[in-house]
Amino acid sequence: MRRFLLCTAAMAALSWSSFAHAQTVIELQRFFGACEADYGKVTDVSSAVGECGIITSLINKFGADNPDIDVNVTTVEWPGYDQLNAQLASGAAPDVVSIHYSAISDYQARGLIEPVDEILAAQGIDPASFTDAARSGVTKEGQMFGLPFDNWTMLFHVNLNLMKEAGLVNADGTPILPKSIDEFFAQGKQFKEKTGKPYLVQILANETAVYARMLYTFLQQQNSDFFADPTKIKLMTPEARNVVEFMKRINDEGLTTPGLDYAAAVSAFANGAGGIAVNGTWLIGDYVAQSEKSDTALAGGYTVYPVPQLFPERDSTYADGHAWVLPKKDRTAEQTAALGKLFKFLAENDFQWARTGHLPAVKAVFDMPEFKALPFRDNIAKIAETGRSLPAEVQRQFAIQDIIGDEIGAAINGDKSVDDALESAESRINDLLANI
Amino acid sequence: MAESYRRGHPGHALFILPYLTAFVVLLAFPLFWSIWLSLHKVDLFGPGRFVGLTNYTRVLADPVFLQAFRNTILFVALSVPTLVALGLFLALALNRTTRTTSFFRGLFFSSSVLSVTIVTLIWRFVFIPRDGLIPVIFEQLGLQPINFLSTSGWSLFAVGVATVWWCLGLPMMLFLAALQQIPADLYEAAALDNASPWRVLRRITLPSIARTIMLVTIIQIVMQFQLFGQAQLMTNGGPNGTSRPLVMYIYETGFIRWDVGKGAAASELLFLIILCAAMVQYIISTRKPEVRE
């Protein structure tokens, strides 16, 4: 009996020690939604669609390829920074977190995230393998503070069926898009007259980030250096007035759907509510899927383009991106190595992520035949050159976006004059930046 | 034994220790910490720098705070009387013991058990342009639809409607409990005197539940000053900040902008407002009841 007990105890100890030795646990926290019901067990990444499906199956695949590493995934509501802040404040941060390039400055300036150069080097990942836009998105003070994952921007998603009805399609089947403000209103008016529907489907209620993104885009197109000093914004300028007056005129002339929030705007476009949806890269996959069904408003009639150049100075579009960062915390060498493996895996599978519609962060993906074969990637590939973010030193970009959304929304709805709104936005943002 | 019980014993204080511990750790300590934070320039991640009352002057000079304060006052001023009046009306209507009234009591109370996320999701389906219930009804009636969630004035109204629907159950139940405490002989006497229903309501029912009406009013004032989830999820405070309440201002300042000191100062000001309302409740609840003849 005694021998039996000793054997059992020894076997239990051995099995525990081998288990403890084998399993390196890393805590991964991300947004991109939850879809465990559909993709909880999927490891065939190529069969997944959409942001949530692809990232879930990617992490599943990594787990299957690395049985010695356990990746515990926590999914947070977009953008998840409240939760991350609480975790950082209480010393309970995850090991790796999804983040926007525009939010990295806040955490890097406060010393809350770690540079990843050494981890990338240890895995043989060359920083030069990333696109300039992606690399600059995560580079602060000469160091990379995250693994760049993609670039995204706002696009013109086009309902070709309605554009045909409006007579706004070229002989080759491509849509006729405006090249100036005057053309924009002429085409918008023509569209409305011919179809009885608004030209644009925009998100104008609740989440107002689109106001800031479009303001940045059209300011960039006018060569306005509105953040020449990263601690002060300049919005009391003729360029900013041009943009807000343009956006207000779209509303005043009834060329946009009014009052839709994000979810309503996404479904309204899919249901044929208007000609062009101003929305992000991440919707390409979903709208392509809609266009492949015969009984939808987009059936056989969907395409997508970058926001057109409407001001003559230069072609530019505001771009941001997603990255993976490492909150500052104590880790074992095994955990650091596991994170390096994860980064290498994600970089190697950047093509799969690019199927969402986001632009790849890894240069080589652009040359892959599979990428070139993805729908409409030729149309939007130029964003890799025309996409520009805010200067890397600008902090609190999400809060700035909210203020701009508040104030420009007020101007567009007629609650404030354009000048009052720009003055108020400028003073609120500068007060925010002065008190960091 | 009885004398000893009345005199008490220091050891009896141990019985309140568990609650006292929770009270100190979860309420008293955060309160004083928040006051400390409000006197510092500080973010979420480290020690701050003492700045005296600067955060308070910044808050009081911030037009966004003043707008949020006005919004909150307006919201409380409109939602509380509505909740009290509707709650009382429903309680009066359902103060009978039949199956139908029991069903309706459960029905009207059921919204109170929902989370704010579900409540706002339901009302989003009602208000959202194009496919929402109200726009569809407007369209059927040939009326110009109103963008309830993105039009100044209407957005706070929409938040108010969702709030009243969500919060109505508690006032109704409190009023029902109070109504059932009124002695039946008062109503019998009124019936013998051939008093009209209106006279019975004014002379018997309302005076008998006057303290409950006050209690419900004060509870609702305190609750509605803390409006947050409905406004954040339905309108995100817009358009132009016209539906941004004080708690949302505090959240944005402290958590989105990392200006925790300023957010704490704003929360202390809100605390003072709620404290005043709570003191009124305390004074009323400790007042000696009138002697009924």
Side-chain angles (χ1 to χ4, degrees):
Chain A
M1 183 65 186
R2 192 177 165 200
R3 185 179 293 173
F4 174 76
L5 284 173
L6 278 172
C7 284
T8 309
M11 283 177 68
L14 274 173
S15 64
W16 171 252
S17 71
S18 67
F19 176 78
H21 178 70
Q23 294 302 313
T24 301
V25 178
I26 53 177
E27 304 287 338
L28 180 146
Q29 185 162 295
R30 65 164 181 83
F31 41 80
F32 304 124
C35 49
E36 285 298 303
D38 294 325
Y39 292 100
K41 304 284 180 197
V42 174
T43 53
D44 176 11
V45 184
S46 62
S47 70
V49 291
E51 282 185 318
C52 184
I54 292 175
I55 191 63
T56 304
S57 52
L58 271 173
I59 302 297
N60 292 344
K61 176 82 165 56
F62 176 76
D65 291 352
N66 297 275
D68 56 332
I69 300 171
D70 264 356
V71 184
N72 287 345
V73 179
T74 304
T75 306
V76 292
E77 178 73 13
W78 185 92
Y81 298 130
D82 293 349
Q83 193 161 342
L84 177 62
N85 293 346
Q87 290 165 322
L88 287 165
S90 60
D95 292 300
V96 56
V97 188
S98 63
I99 199 168
H100 294 89
Y101 298 160
S102 53
I104 290 178
S105 298
D106 293 347
Y107 295 93
Q108 180 269 335
R110 198 66 181 79
L112 298 166
I113 53 175
E114 295 177 350
V116 299
D117 304 77
E118 284 180 18
I119 292 179
L120 297 183
Q123 295 294 327
I125 302 172
D126 182 0
S129 64
F130 298 108
T131 64
D132 291 345
R135 195 173 160 188
S136 68
V138 298
T139 302
K140 312 287 165 188
E141 297 172 1
Q143 289 181 295
M144 288 178 75
F145 278 86
L147 176 82
F149 203 32
D150 63 42
N151 271 111
W152 59 257
T153 185
M154 302 306 279
L155 299 169
F156 268 27
H157 299 267
V158 184
N159 182 331
L160 276 173
N161 299 329
L162 287 174
M163 292 293 268
K164 271 180 206 153
E165 205 179 315
L168 289 172
V169 173
N170 293 307
D172 62 359
T174 56
I176 298 171
L177 294 175
K179 295 187 184 71
S180 67
I181 298 288
D182 290 341
E183 277 188 25
F184 178 93
F185 286 107
Q187 291 175 17
K189 200 175 162 197
Q190 180 180 334
F191 184 93
K192 195 177 168 190
E193 282 169 1
K194 295 273 176 68
T195 65
K197 294 183 176 184
Y199 186 45
L200 297 186
V201 179
Q202 295 189 95
I203 313 156
L204 298 181
N206 201 316
E207 188 215 307
T208 50
V210 68
Y211 289 125
R213 293 168 189 161
M214 298 313 287
L215 176 74
Y216 296 157
T217 294
F218 293 128
L219 285 176
Q220 288 170 354
Q221 290 190 1
Q222 296 175 84
N223 275 330
S224 170
D225 200 359
F226 52 102
F227 259 124
D229 174 356
T231 63
K232 270 187 186 166
I233 195 169
K234 267 192 189 171
L235 289 176
M236 291 299 290
T237 60
E239 292 84 5
R241 200 170 294 117
N242 288 342
V243 178
V244 182
E245 280 171 356
F246 164 59
M247 291 163 86
K248 180 169 165 50
R249 195 175 150 200
I250 295 171
N251 201 49
D252 292 348
E253 295 193 7
L255 298 181
T256 180
T257 49
L260 299 182
D261 64 13
Y262 178 83
V266 170
S267 66
F269 178 71
N271 293 327
I276 295 169
V278 185
N279 215 320
T281 45
W282 52 90
L283 285 171
I284 293 176
D286 292 318
Y287 285 147
V288 166
Q290 290 277 316
S291 70
E292 286 166 354
K293 293 177 188 166
S294 58
D295 56 346
T296 66
L298 296 177
Y302 167 74
T303 188
V304 62
Y305 285 88
V307 173
Q309 182 184 351
L310 297 181
F311 293 89
E313 284 79 4
R314 69 169 168 177
D315 195 2
S316 185
T317 189
Y318 169 72
D320 198 344
H322 300 117
W324 298 95
V325 295
L326 308 180
K328 194 164 271 183
K329 65 185 285 192
D330 291 333
R331 293 186 184 85
T332 63
E334 289 79 13
Q335 282 177 315
T336 304
L339 289 167
K341 276 187 182 175
L342 177 67
F343 277 9
K344 190 175 171 66
F345 175 83
L346 291 173
E348 284 173 351
N349 286 278
D350 202 38
F351 160 71
Q352 293 294 347
W353 183 244
R355 291 196 297 110
T356 57
H358 297 309
L359 289 166
V362 176
K363 276 183 197 168
V365 175
F366 282 96
D367 299 324
M368 290 171 67
E370 299 96 316
F371 178 75
K372 288 179 178 169
L374 290 173
F376 313 123
R377 292 324 191 262
D378 282 351
N379 296 0
I380 61 167
K382 73 167 181 174
I383 292 169
E385 284 138 37
T386 60
R388 287 176 185 82
S389 55
L390 296 187
E393 301 79 15
V394 178
Q395 294 186 42
R396 306 294 186 273
Q397 292 187 30
F398 266 68
I400 291 169
Q401 193 170 272
D402 286 348
I403 293 172
I404 289 176
D406 254 14
E407 298 296 343
I408 294 188
I412 290 172
N413 290 328
D415 294 326
K416 274 184 183 174
S417 71
V418 170
D419 283 343
D420 284 351
L422 287 171
E423 190 178 357
S424 179
E426 185 178 284
S427 105
R428 285 176 65 188
I429 292 167
N430 289 339
D431 176 65
L432 162 72
L433 294 174
N435 284 286
I436 287 176
Chain B
M1 181 75 179
E3 183 62 24
S4 160
Y5 174 78
R6 271 197 294 274
R7 274 195 279 111
H9 187 278
H12 295 166
L14 287 174
F15 286 104
I16 63 163
L17 198 58
Y19 173 75
L20 197 64
T21 307
F23 178 81
V24 169
V25 172
L26 298 177
L27 289 170
F29 173 68
L31 174 66
F32 288 108
W33 193 21
S34 166
I35 294 170
W36 182 89
L37 285 173
S38 73
L39 302 173
H40 289 72
K41 174 81 198 106
V42 60
D43 64 15
L44 292 160
F45 309 110
R49 175 169 52 86
F50 184 76
V51 293
L53 296 174
T54 306
N55 285 325
Y56 289 91
T57 53
R58 283 180 62 212
V59 166
L60 291 170
D62 187 347
V64 180
F65 172 82
L66 299 176
Q67 185 193 33
F69 180 71
R70 282 195 302 273
N71 292 341
T72 310
I73 295 285
L74 180 65
F75 182 80
V76 171
L78 294 177
S79 65
V80 171
T82 310
L83 278 163
V84 173
L86 263 180
L88 181 59
F89 172 78
L90 287 176
L92 288 168
L94 301 175
N95 188 25
R96 296 177 186 84
T97 48
T98 66
R99 280 188 182 178
T100 312
T101 55
S102 298
F103 170 76
F104 278 111
R105 281 182 206 177
L107 188 69
F108 286 120
F109 190 74
S110 60
S111 62
S112 303
V113 303
L114 299 175
S115 76
V116 67
T117 319
I118 303 297
V119 171
T120 51
L121 198 60
I122 291 168
W123 284 96
R124 181 187 168 278
F125 287 135
V126 174
F127 286 123
I128 198 75
R130 275 176 54 85
D131 301 327
L133 177 65
I134 292 182
V136 168
I137 293 171
F138 272 51
E139 199 175 273
Q140 294 294 320
L141 297 173
L143 299 170
Q144 184 69 26
I146 298 167
N147 289 329
F148 283 98
L149 300 178
S150 58
T151 307
S152 294
W154 284 114
S155 59
L156 194 63
F157 167 81
V159 171
V161 170
T163 302
V164 168
W165 183 82
W166 186 33
C167 298
L168 192 58
L170 179 66
M172 182 192 74
M173 284 300 180
L174 289 172
F175 285 132
L176 271 169
L179 288 172
Q180 286 166 13
Q181 298 299 315
I182 302 172
D185 53 358
L186 291 176
Y187 290 109
E188 286 165 13
L192 287 172
D193 289 343
N194 206 22
S196 68
W198 176 241
R199 197 173 177 83
V200 170
L201 177 71
R202 284 192 308 120
R203 294 300 176 92
I204 297 175
T205 307
L206 292 182
S208 301
I209 62 167
R211 291 185 61 190
T212 305
I213 294 174
M214 188 54 73
L215 178 72
V216 168
T217 305
I218 291 163
I219 288 174
Q220 289 304 324
I221 287 172
V222 172
M223 281 176 66
Q224 301 314 329
F225 261 113
Q226 298 176 64
L227 167 70
F228 175 56
Q230 306 94 295
Q232 198 205 19
L233 294 167
M234 288 176 72
T235 65
N236 203 17
N240 192 23
T242 51
S243 62
R244 177 186 287 111
L246 274 177
V247 179
M248 192 166 162
Y249 172 86
I250 293 165
Y251 161 74
E252 288 175 350
T253 307
F255 290 91
I256 307 281
R257 294 173 196 174
W258 299 13
D259 198 345
V260 171
K262 189 181 176 191
S267 68
E268 292 311 319
L269 295 173
L270 177 63
F271 169 71
L272 282 178
I273 296 165
I274 295 176
L275 182 68
C276 290
M279 289 305 290
V280 173
Q281 181 191 10
Y282 175 76
I283 291 164
I284 290 169
S285 62
T286 54
R287 203 170 54 185
K288 284 183 181 174
E290 290 166 19
V291 178
R292 189 176 283 141
E293 295 296 330

